[in-house]
Amino acid sequence: MIRAFFNSLAGLSWTLKYERAIRQEFFVLILGVFIALIIPASPLEQIALIGSILFVIIIELINTAIEKTVDRISKEIHPLSKIAKDTASAAVLLSIILCVSIWLVICLPLIKTYF
């Protein structure tokens, strides 16, 4: 288990170093944690807000793994490679839509209350 933990940290470290999308999403996570903790939201809502951003990062990590695996197999353009990459990218898009939806549902009523 210890080895698996350090392998996971190595993967996370690599993606933070080399994948711009992951860096951007981690920036959003830091900002999102700060906002989630200062707004008047319940603990469950705070978990939903933060968890929705973490979910995007998780899907992005899986997308990166798929892209790197496909590239490792062959740099040659192939219809199945395109499908694999596009499908993984679609998963990221859907996770972002879910995340934004959760933030809107929780935060819009709070914004309306104060403005």
Side-chain angles (χ1 to χ4, degrees):
M1 279 182 58
I2 293 171
R3 180 189 239 172
F5 174 76
F6 284 106
N7 288 342
S8 298
L9 286 181
L12 191 57
S13 175
W14 186 90
T15 57
L16 283 167
K17 186 174 181 180
Y18 295 105
E19 294 293 320
R20 183 171 31 139
I22 296 285
R23 287 193 303 273
Q24 292 169 344
E25 290 157 357
F26 262 89
F27 174 76
V28 171
L29 176 64
I30 292 166
L31 185 63
V33 167
F34 176 75
I35 292 169
L37 295 177
I38 64 167
I39 63 172
S42 72
L44 189 57
E45 290 171 326
Q46 291 172 331
I47 290 170
L49 293 170
I50 295 166
S52 67
I53 301 170
L54 281 172
F55 184 69
V56 171
I57 294 171
I58 291 165
I59 300 301
E60 188 70 60
L61 289 167
I62 294 168
N63 176 47
T64 300
I66 290 169
E67 287 184 351
K68 298 306 175 193
T69 301
V70 168
D71 290 346
R72 166 66 174 91
I73 292 168
S74 176
K75 291 284 188 181
E76 179 183 316
I77 297 173
H78 189 280
L80 292 177
S81 296
K82 179 174 175 21
I83 290 169
K85 288 183 170 190
D86 290 352
T87 304
S89 181
V92 174
L93 174 63
L94 292 177
S95 72
I96 291 169
I97 291 169
L98 175 63
C99 181
V100 169
S101 299
I102 290 169
W103 276 80
L104 287 174
V105 166
I106 293 173
C107 292
L108 275 182
L110 296 173
I111 292 169
K112 288 179 181 177
T113 301
Y114 292 100
F115 294 102

